[in-house]
Amino acid sequence: QRYTKTTYFQEGNHDAHIERWAANHGQGAVSIFSLISPRINLSKGRKDFVYIRQGENIQLHPKLICTHGWSYSIHCAAVHRRKSPLQSVILNHAHRMQSDTLTYPAMDMPTTDMCAGCLCKRQPMYKHDGNPTGWTHGFWVAYVGSKDFTMYAVPINKGRAILPSGKEIKVV
């Protein structure tokens, strides 16, 4: 049995905006680039850490892909499941916590697409194109084995979260 503690961080559009801003605002912004870059600051000094750029997907298991997202619609998990019916998808673009699971008869295997919320500043009922979007603080954890995997959404409530192990943690 192989066990790894590798952490994969999938860059989102908000993270990418920071680096683009610094690159496009001259020498002053470039001089603070290493101070504000999520890629540099999240990766610094960490073993078993992989930073995935926005737009790149990562295959965590033959039946599980992680992507920033192809849709941010109100039913984004269902949209992703329809676009990738033969594998489960973890997405991060919609800022809301939701999942959609369906077992396709020909496969006799459930596929689940999950959006676990966001870790950015919470802005409930943020309006995008006039449509309210309920943001949820949260993240996901995937335990990946050689034959299968299990995904968990972990909501953050008032700075606290309970991990799949039952351990309660403070989230800042």
Side-chain angles (χ1 to χ4, degrees):
Q1 182 177 9
R2 196 177 115 236
Y3 177 73
T4 180
K5 290 185 177 184
T6 301
T7 298
Y8 294 92
F9 179 86
Q10 179 109 42
E11 178 182 67
N13 52 304
H14 300 274
D15 307 307
H17 291 318
I18 293 170
E19 291 195 353
R20 278 195 296 267
W21 174 86
N24 292 326
H25 280 82
Q27 189 60 33
V30 171
S31 65
I32 65 167
F33 183 82
S34 65
L35 298 172
I36 64 173
S37 167
R39 180 178 45 84
I40 292 171
N41 289 293
L42 290 172
S43 301
K44 192 182 305 180
R46 294 179 76 179
K47 291 182 187 180
D48 302 322
F49 185 87
V50 180
Y51 190 94
I52 311 295
R53 289 280 195 185
Q54 181 188 1
E56 296 177 15
N57 299 329
I58 183 165
Q59 193 82 41
L60 297 173
H61 184 274
K63 300 182 289 185
L64 176 62
I65 188 171
C66 180
T67 183
H68 174 65
W70 309 313
S71 169
Y72 58 85
S73 72
I74 191 94
H75 303 292
C76 63
V79 170
H80 283 76
R81 189 186 43 71
R82 283 193 302 274
K83 287 184 178 216
S84 184
L86 302 179
Q87 60 187 353
S88 294
V89 178
I90 297 173
L91 64 130
N92 303 297
H93 188 51
H95 304 178
R96 68 180 61 82
M97 190 171 282
Q98 61 177 250
S99 67
D100 189 76
T101 301
L102 182 68
T103 300
Y104 289 93
M107 293 175 39
D108 194 30
M109 175 189 85
T111 58
T112 298
D113 289 38
M114 173 190 294
C115 182
C118 65
L119 294 173
C120 57
K121 181 180 176 186
R122 193 172 74 93
Q123 298 177 4
M125 301 310 288
Y126 170 74
K127 292 197 181 256
H128 188 294
D129 297 332
N131 296 317
T133 301
W135 287 28
T136 302
H137 271 158
F139 57 94
W140 56 265
V141 175
Y143 292 101
V144 180
S146 60
K147 296 188 179 178
D148 217 340
F149 59 90
T150 301
M151 304 181 312
Y152 298 94
V154 181
I156 300 169
N157 185 16
K158 298 178 183 166
R160 303 202 71 75
I162 299 176
L163 299 176
S165 66
K167 179 180 180 180
E168 186 173 343
I169 61 170
K170 183 176 180 184
V171 181
V172 290

